[in-house]
Every structure is written in structure tokens, then in C-alpha cells.
Amino acid sequence: MEIQFKNVNYTYQPDTPFENKVLHDINFTIEHGSYTAIVGHTGSGKSTLLQHLNALKVPTTGSVWLGDYEVNASKKQKALNDIRKEVGVVFQFPEAQLFEETIGKDIAFGPQNFGATEEEALRLAREILPVVGLDESFMDKSPFDLSGGQMRRVAIAGVLVMKPSVLVLDEPTAGLDPKGQLEMMDLFNRLHEEEGITIILVTHQMEDVGKYADNMIVLDAGRVVDQGAPKQVFKNQKWLQSIQLDVPQTVEFANLLAEKKQWEVERLPMTLTELADGIVRRLEAEKQVNGHG
Amino acid sequence: MDKLILGQYIPGDSFIHRMDPRSKLISAVWFIVLIFMASTWWTYGMLVAVVLFATVLSSIPLKFYLNSLKPLAFLLLITVVFQLMFSQGETVLFELGWVSITQEGLINAVKIILRFVLIVIMSTILTLTTTPLEIADGIESLLKPLKKLKVPVQEIALILSISLRFVPTLMQETEKIMNAQRARGVDFSSGSLIQRMKKVVPLLIPLFISSIDRADQLAVAMTARGYRGGDSRTKLRQLTWTKLDTTVMLVFLALTFGLGIGRYLF
């Protein structure tokens, strides 16, 4: 499903002294099957924007196209459940949404709301557990007996079980240990690559953006200030820092090499492997020059 | 969610904003007592004038006061209907079967509406111009004399200010969990009454859990920072009673006399 924002503005509590305009004239397109990262420092409007992606919020002016469905202020919202089934949202600290007695029932909650019978929903829940790295023995346990990381997996399973074609992730790795973070990001990448799910990732981790995303949208004070491939956006480290954002460590390292040693590592390395390859190529080139010289 | 009046403080620097929370609390309660003293149109007129004057002094748009009445409109309507239908009286204006509307009933209904509206607006003036923490401080200070009767005033005040402090937090939390459950296909705004009640479960349980967690964390944080109750505690926000407050109290005293006289003379 393609997602398109057209001149979207959003104002909290309009016409009161608390009026607060958080989104200004947002325009962008998220293509079907892409992996898009949304970055911006705290208070840049990321969370508000995210709630437009499954019509939890309706733009004050402008419109959001979710596939063929238009969301705007002048239209009475119908068929929202169809949208919400298509666009799965994993909110920040999603473990806060758990409430059932057993993990199985909690995961089955979504499908049942979308019309599945209890039996069907429980079967779907059983099937989804291995996807998030838990086994079937968890079905009948209480979600409140789990560790934080496991609770997060259950909550994510509760969204994945609806088989969304677009998955929106709001800082999904916040508060996890490094191993858990890596496993989580790998899980999402696998879903993206193997099942073609469109991923929209809201994050502060520029390394993750560089490693996984093919498109990125930069927000600052409620405006889209840059968008494009991470390799393009990360070219301008100074400017990103001026809006309190950063580049991946690998890019920073390459920039330092260029600055201190006049070593131009040709491409902006998005991963450690790319950085290492770049350095190796550079060293080999130098060796050749020296050897001939 | 935005319509909840509690904690709807609107910052400002009006005459009423500058009043001491204690004098505002006393005024609000005093005013409610005065309303029940009122009987004749004359006295009602005086009270309406006071409320109008106070709303002007608060320099808050009238819209906010009208909004505060909205959630109570239904209650008001029912009261009025009952008054009209079941009041005894002699001058019958209208009759249909066993229902008769009398002039006395009509007058009673109008008076009840007036009382109701006046009380709501007066309390709204208090909550719109005073931060919840100021109100808690004010109540603590006013309850101090009860300490002699071994009432744990400080603890009550602490409970009050913690509850008030966490109202917005709890509302945020509610919205967050509501969003998460709506994303999982819950439609909170449709269905029969029983269906809707069932839908609240996925909202309430996470809220309970996070509130208990939060209470636990708060207790640890308070202990870690050396909180101890008791008399030796000093206050960060000192309340200051100024001439302004004394003036308001005098106005209320005069008003009380005025009403007392009005009751008998007119």
C-alpha cells in the first residue's frame, strides 16, 4: 500500500490558548515495499505524524492517502478498521498494551476485533509466536510473568498477527539490551525482505537507518526538512547536527578519515562492512602507488 | 478527553489569578453558601452580578465558562423537567392528563437553573485561574487547624497534590493505550452499552498496571531523596495573603449582609 501525505497540517486544541501547531505542510510519499526511516529530534512531530499513518489522527487541513483511501477533515471516517488491519502500528513501549490473562488470548485480540473467530484467532496467534522468537509453550502463560524483552515480543506479535502490509515502528528497540536490539531489528528486516512488508521506522538510531532503510524523512519543528536515500541525506553531517541529529558512526569515521588524513573513502559507508571495505580498497590503492613508485 | 475541567488551568495575570488560593477557595465556598441564602429575585440579581463581574475580572473568554456547563446540560435538563412536572402549586398554566405545569413550578425551575449555573461558573473560575498544586496548597493551609484534632493534614495534602499532579499523566497514558488498542481494531465509540463496557477492559487493565508501577517508582524516588512527612517540612511555594485578598473577603462580607437585608426587605 502506498502512503501519501498532501499538504498535511495538524494543530492540537485549535482555537484555544493551548493551540499548538505541530505539523506544517507535510508532503511525502512512502512507496509500497520500501523501508522508510523517519528521524527528528524530540518534539519534532514524529509521534503526531505517526498517528496519521493509520488514521488515529485526522489532519486539520490537507489529506493523507492510505492506498486508495483518503483521510481528511471534511470526510466522515468509515472503513477505518480496513485501514488499521493493513497498517500495523507498534507504539513506543508497546508492552504497555498487554492486558489478557494469557499471551495467546492477548495476541488473538486484534484478529478477533477484525472479525476472526476465537478459534481462528488463537490459531493465528500460535503461528505468529515463532516469528517473534518465542515458542508455543508461551501460549498459556501470563504476559505479566515475562521479562521486559519478552513482553515487547508478545506485543509486537499482537500487531504482526493481523498480517499488516505496512508496519509502523515507533522506536521499537528503546530500552532493550544490545543483543535484543539487534535481534529485533533483524526480525523487522526479515519481514521486509521475505514478506515484502513496507516498514516505516521512527528512530534515533542513525546506525539502524543507515543499515536498513532505503528512504528517509527528516523532520524538524514539524516540517519535512529533507528526504531521500540515507546516503544522500547523511552527506551533510554539519547540517544534521545543527538540527540535533547525527550521522551513523561509520559515516562519522569516514568523515574524520577524510578530514585528518585526507583519505577519501569514496562512498558514505552505511555499515561496518562497507567502511572496512572502503578502507581496504584505499590501503590497496596506496600500496600499488608505493610499489610502483 | 480535552473537555475535562479538572486541571484546565489557563495561565494569566488577571486580578483573580493574582489572588491567594486560600482566599479563592474561601470565596468559592462562601459563594455557594450565599446561593442557598438567596430567595428573592433581587438577591439572585446580586449574585448574578457578582459572577458576571468575577468572570470579567478573570479575563478568560466567556467560551470557556460555557464549555464548562456543557457536560452538565443533561443533568440540568432532567432536574428542570422534574421540577416542572412534580411541583405543587395553585396557578396552573398548562395541563395534560395527570401532568400539570404550575407557575410556582416554573419559577422553581428557573431558580434551580440559576443556582446550578452560578455554582458551576464560580467553581470554574477557581479551577481556570488556579493551578491544581496551588489549590492543594491552599486546602492544606486551610485545614491546618484540624491538626489539633489529630487529623493528618499533611498526608491528606500530599495525597491530594500527588493525585492532582498525576491527572494529566494518567490522561496521556490513557490516550496512549487507547491508541494502541484502536490500532488493534477496538472502536471505543460504537456498540451497545454492554459492548462498550467490555471494550474498557483492555484499557483499564494496562492503566491499573502502569499506575501501580508508577506509584512504586514514585515511592522509591521519594525515599531516595529523603522524603519524610511531619512538621519539620518546609514549603517551596509560600502562600502570601495580600491586601487584595482581604479586600475580596470584605466584599463577600458586605455581600452577605446585603443578601441578608435583601431577603427581608424585598
Side-chain angles (χ1 to χ4, degrees):
Chain A
M1 187 161 83
E2 192 184 83
I3 294 178
Q4 209 172 11
F5 275 53
K6 284 184 180 165
N7 307 98
V8 170
N9 287 283
Y10 190 81
T11 309
Y12 277 101
Q13 295 179 287
D15 304 323
T16 70
F18 305 103
E19 188 175 276
N20 184 12
K21 195 169 182 192
V22 281
L23 294 181
H24 300 262
D25 198 26
I26 304 278
N27 285 291
F28 62 74
T29 304
I30 292 172
E31 275 161 36
H32 178 80
S34 68
Y35 195 132
T36 302
I38 300 179
V39 301
H41 72 91
T42 318
S44 58
K46 292 183 308 252
S47 294
T48 310
L49 190 141
L50 182 141
Q51 289 176 45
H52 284 81
L53 293 171
N54 69 343
L56 284 175
K57 281 210 179 345
V58 174
T60 312
T61 63
S63 56
V64 176
W65 284 89
L66 304 166
D68 299 329
Y69 187 85
E70 186 184 10
V71 183
N72 65 31
S74 59
K75 186 169 147 189
K76 189 144 170 56
Q77 302 304 320
K78 276 187 210 148
L80 286 184
N81 261 3
D82 295 343
I83 298 285
R84 293 192 183 144
K85 194 172 178 303
E86 278 302 294
V87 184
V89 181
V90 176
F91 286 94
Q92 235 173 64
F93 299 104
E95 51 274 23
Q97 75 194 30
L98 302 176
F99 72 98
E100 276 284 10
E101 295 152 68
T102 69
I103 290 168
K105 279 192 193 169
D106 203 289
I107 299 176
F109 181 65
Q112 274 176 283
N113 285 326
F114 292 121
T117 62
E118 192 179 345
E119 227 172 280
E120 246 175 72
L122 283 172
R123 183 178 56 79
L124 288 170
R126 200 177 294 275
E127 280 170 17
I128 208 80
L129 273 174
V131 176
V132 295
L134 299 173
D135 60 63
E136 276 189 25
S137 69
F138 281 90
M139 280 296 279
D140 297 320
K141 284 188 187 157
S142 161
F144 302 109
D145 291 337
L146 301 179
S147 72
Q150 286 173 326
M151 276 169 92
R152 173 110 18 128
R153 284 163 193 271
V154 171
I156 289 171
V159 174
L160 290 180
V161 72
M162 301 183 281
K163 310 267 183 247
S165 67
V166 179
L167 188 60
V168 182
L169 305 159
D170 190 359
E171 294 184 43
T173 59
L176 294 182
D177 57 47
K179 184 164 169 279
Q181 292 191 10
L182 201 65
E183 284 172 1
M184 203 59 89
M185 291 313 294
D186 277 345
L187 160 67
F188 300 134
N189 199 40
R190 219 168 45 238
L191 288 168
H192 173 64
E193 281 178 354
E194 288 169 13
E195 313 204 6
I197 294 182
T198 310
I199 303 244
I200 301 170
L201 172 71
V202 174
T203 186
H204 289 294
Q205 310 282 327
M206 294 303 165
E207 284 72 32
D208 287 344
V209 177
K211 198 165 158 193
Y212 301 107
D214 48 37
N215 179 30
M216 90 188 259
I217 294 169
V218 186
L219 283 180
D220 183 46
R223 290 170 212 277
V224 174
V225 284
D226 199 6
Q227 53 182 318
K231 278 204 183 224
Q232 289 299 315
V233 176
F234 285 140
K235 268 185 184 160
N236 204 341
Q237 186 181 1
K238 286 232 165 59
W239 172 77
L240 278 170
Q241 279 169 345
S242 75
I243 55 170
Q244 294 169 46
L245 292 174
D246 222 323
V247 296
Q249 284 173 333
T250 47
V251 174
E252 202 179 340
F253 193 88
N255 286 347
L256 276 175
L257 275 181
E259 195 183 309
K260 305 262 166 171
K261 294 203 76 174
Q262 279 74 48
W263 271 29
E264 292 300 336
V265 182
E266 36 184 273
R267 304 186 298 158
L268 285 164
M270 289 294 129
T271 61
L272 269 181
T273 324
E274 274 182 42
L275 176 64
D277 285 350
I279 294 176
V280 168
R281 265 199 305 278
R282 170 69 219 222
L283 283 173
E284 273 169 356
E286 198 160 293
K287 211 155 92 187
Q288 263 177 6
V289 172
N290 288 344
H292 286 288
Chain B
M1 207 68 61
D2 301 338
K3 282 170 195 96
L4 212 71
I5 299 165
L6 190 67
Q8 275 290 55
Y9 171 68
I10 295 178
D13 190 34
S14 73
F15 181 87
I16 296 192
H17 281 91
R18 285 197 302 269
M19 275 169 69
D20 187 296
R22 283 171 297 186
S23 67
K24 280 195 258 190
L25 278 164
I26 295 175
S27 309
V29 175
W30 197 337
F31 188 79
I32 291 169
V33 174
L34 286 183
I35 286 174
F36 288 101
M37 274 176 66
S39 55
T40 59
W41 292 117
W42 244 102
T43 46
Y44 275 105
M46 275 165 88
L47 292 176
V48 170
V50 169
V51 166
L52 282 180
F53 187 56
T55 54
V56 172
L57 279 182
S58 71
S59 48
I60 286 169
L62 200 64
K63 199 178 73 187
F64 284 93
Y65 295 109
L66 296 180
N67 278 343
S68 70
L69 288 170
K70 261 188 219 158
L72 302 163
F74 187 64
L75 190 68
L76 200 63
L77 190 76
I78 291 183
T79 327
V80 168
V81 168
F82 271 78
Q83 273 298 323
L84 280 178
M85 280 172 34
F86 301 114
S87 275
Q88 302 295 318
E90 281 158 16
T91 341
V92 176
L93 295 177
F94 176 80
E95 208 165 11
L96 187 85
W98 53 272
V99 182
S100 65
I101 291 173
T102 62
Q103 194 176 355
E104 287 80 358
L106 195 66
I107 290 174
N108 267 339
V110 172
K111 282 185 176 168
I112 282 179
I113 294 179
L114 259 179
R115 284 187 178 174
F116 206 84
V117 169
L118 288 177
I119 291 178
V120 172
I121 291 186
M122 204 56 172
S123 4
T124 310
I125 294 178
L126 176 71
T127 51
L128 287 181
T129 62
T130 324
T131 61
L133 281 179
E134 273 181 333
I135 295 183
D137 281 345
I139 291 177
E140 181 183 1
S141 171
L142 289 174
L143 289 182
K144 250 181 203 154
L146 289 179
K147 257 190 196 160
K148 295 215 170 68
L149 300 171
K150 298 251 159 73
V151 178
V153 172
Q154 237 165 7
E155 279 69 28
I156 294 175
L158 182 71
I159 292 169
L160 197 67
S161 37
I162 288 179
S163 329
L164 287 171
R165 154 68 185 79
F166 280 100
V167 168
T169 312
L170 208 65
M171 274 164 64
Q172 268 175 14
E173 189 83 24
T174 311
E175 205 192 324
K176 238 183 71 184
I177 295 169
M178 261 176 110
N179 274 340
Q181 307 300 25
R182 279 160 80 199
R184 293 209 280 170
V186 182
D187 181 2
F188 286 102
S189 57
S190 75
S192 69
L193 191 65
I194 293 175
Q195 278 173 329
R196 282 196 203 194
M197 274 159 70
K198 273 190 187 157
K199 284 175 189 168
V200 174
V201 175
L203 185 61
L204 277 188
I205 292 177
L207 267 182
F208 267 117
I209 291 168
S210 70
S211 302
I212 292 168
D213 277 351
R214 186 166 289 125
D216 219 29
Q217 285 163 13
L218 183 67
V220 171
M222 283 170 76
T223 317
R225 291 204 255 168
Y227 176 84
R228 268 175 303 130
D231 286 333
S232 54
R233 277 188 73 76
T234 52
K235 287 223 151 278
L236 174 64
R237 295 173 301 273
Q238 299 283 349
L239 301 176
T240 44
W241 186 280
T242 62
K243 265 188 202 154
L244 197 109
D245 300 296
T246 315
T247 316
V248 173
M249 291 297 103
L250 288 175
V251 168
F252 265 89
L253 200 63
L255 194 66
T256 313
F257 274 113
L259 278 180
I261 294 166
R263 240 175 115 99
Y264 296 108
L265 286 191
F266 303 101

